Amino acid sequence: MKSHALPTVDFPACETHETPHGSGLYMPVFLLIIACALWAVSFPLVKALHLEQTARMPGVSSLFLASWMQMARFGLGAAMLVPFIIGKKRPTSLEIRQALVLAFWGGSGMWLQADALAYTAASTSAFVTQAYCIFLPLWACLQSRQAPTARVVGATLMVLTGGAILSGLRPGDLRLGRGEIETIGAAFLFTFQILALENPRYEGNRGLPVTFVMFLGIAVLLAPVTLISAPNLAACVSAGASLPAFAIIGSLALFCSVGAYLLMNIWQPRVSATEAGLIYTTEPVFTAGYVLFLPAVLGTFIHGIYPNESLSTTTILGGGLILAANILMQWKRPPHLPAAGPVS
């Protein structure tokens, strides 16, 4: 397949002309915040699923469980969308192309993120994931071949410092943990997923068929990884062979996949990638609220130990620096409304 360059996106590194917000912007913003609230639930859910599966299947690798979970989650999500696809116009070649691009970047990112949750707290993963809001303007600097502005440099340092605080780095032990490293890698991949949604090449694509093909693409992408990393074929069945595992996968598919990604794929093209980056910073805020009470509930459900997290000084300081960096990047940025296609 012929490769295509991603579009250049305006960020604080480059000067732009101001455009006033239109009244039509508020509905996309509201619905994208709802998407963030749905995504945020996935962090404790994925963590609980990992705890439940490792208790039933000791010795199984986290890479297998992460691959299986994403394959099952998005395969089931695609099945849930079938009734809404039947009888509709088939996906166009351009919609299929965009969906596969989203599946590659998004699926790879979520695979890394899911494995990372085996090694770090849900709230830490949620905050560190926001590093893509810094990767976006840095990518724009590379495309425009311009040096980053003081704002970009300052925000990047704030994100690095916040991530270091959240991961527990000490002056005498400057090493990031596996969970934090994988989460940063996931954030890098999510950067290109966000850019693909704003690409003008896909103007007019419909959100529903794009989401359906994207889900199928992620399931197919991770199927061979699941089989290769599985200790045996029986493990692929055993991983979901319990009521808690099935219920959690169903919740991830319905709320965090179908609900959240339909909102993202339909409404994000109606705002710029920069504005979307700012909106998505609400996700770790929701997660920080959920982990104050949801882990104990999930722990009871999976018959295991999953203690609630607390708002520690580390979480507040590290997470606050990352959120502040994202707000700094977006402060007084000129918004625009890219053209977007219909829903179905």
Side-chain angles (χ1 to χ4, degrees):
M1 181 181 293
K2 183 179 179 181
S3 63
H4 297 278
L6 288 167
T8 301
V9 183
D10 292 328
F11 289 98
C14 309
E15 294 298 323
T16 56
H17 299 289
E18 292 196 8
T19 305
H21 274 281
S23 59
L25 180 62
Y26 298 109
M27 181 59 72
V29 169
F30 172 74
L31 292 174
L32 288 176
I33 290 175
I34 296 298
C36 289
L38 293 173
W39 273 321
V41 180
S42 68
F43 289 92
L45 284 178
V46 170
K47 185 80 173 180
L49 179 61
H50 178 80
L51 293 172
E52 192 274 342
Q53 290 175 322
T54 52
R56 287 190 297 110
M57 306 170 66
V60 174
S61 72
S62 61
L63 287 176
F64 163 69
L65 294 177
S67 305
W68 179 90
M69 186 268 291
Q70 299 295 2
M71 180 190 69
R73 166 187 175 180
F74 286 98
L76 181 58
M80 290 177 176
L81 288 176
V82 167
F84 304 97
I85 293 294
I86 294 176
K88 300 288 186 179
K89 180 183 176 182
R90 292 182 179 180
T92 65
S93 60
L94 203 58
E95 289 169 344
I96 292 174
R97 177 176 297 183
Q98 183 186 28
L100 294 179
V101 170
L102 293 172
F104 175 77
W105 294 116
S108 301
M110 282 179 285
W111 175 62
L112 270 181
Q113 189 183 62
D115 187 65
L117 279 165
Y119 305 96
T120 190
S123 58
T124 297
S125 179
F127 278 111
V128 176
T129 298
Q130 301 308 303
Y132 62 70
C133 295
I134 304 304
F135 291 141
L136 284 167
L138 290 176
W139 174 257
C141 290
L142 289 174
Q143 284 193 309
S144 62
R145 297 182 180 179
Q146 296 180 6
T149 63
R151 183 189 299 200
V152 172
V153 173
T156 302
L157 291 175
M158 290 170 68
V159 167
L160 291 175
T161 304
I165 292 172
L166 286 171
S167 60
L169 283 181
R170 298 291 184 269
D173 185 20
L174 298 178
R175 292 180 298 174
L176 286 173
R178 174 173 172 175
E180 290 76 32
I181 291 173
E182 288 186 335
T183 304
I184 291 172
F188 180 77
L189 296 172
F190 291 147
T191 300
F192 297 99
Q193 181 187 28
I194 292 173
L195 288 172
L197 278 172
E198 196 191 44
N199 195 325
R201 180 179 291 107
Y202 304 125
E203 179 182 332
N205 280 1
R206 297 165 298 158
L208 183 56
V210 167
T211 303
F212 175 70
V213 177
M214 172 190 165
F215 284 6
L216 282 179
I218 293 176
V220 171
L221 174 70
L222 292 175
V225 180
T226 302
L227 292 174
I228 292 172
S229 60
N232 50 63
L233 287 178
C236 296
V237 177
S238 301
S242 73
L243 177 60
F246 183 80
I248 292 174
I249 283 294
S251 299
L252 286 168
L254 179 60
F255 300 110
C256 309
S257 301
V258 173
Y261 276 97
L262 271 179
L263 289 172
M264 177 185 182
N265 291 345
I266 292 171
W267 293 100
Q268 194 207 294
R270 290 164 168 79
V271 301
S272 70
T274 344
E275 293 167 290
L278 175 59
I279 294 166
Y280 294 154
T281 60
T282 62
E283 181 184 17
V285 178
F286 284 116
T287 301
Y290 293 149
V291 297
L292 296 178
F293 66 92
L294 197 53
V297 175
L298 291 171
T300 301
F301 181 61
I302 65 174
H303 307 294
I305 300 175
Y306 183 12
N308 292 331
E309 295 184 28
S310 59
L311 281 178
S312 64
T313 303
T314 296
T315 301
I316 295 172
L317 183 56
L321 275 172
I322 293 175
L323 288 177
N326 293 327
I327 293 172
L328 173 64
M329 291 299 298
Q330 312 298 336
W331 187 256
K332 295 184 178 180
R333 294 297 304 145
H336 75 273
L337 291 173
V343 174
S344 59

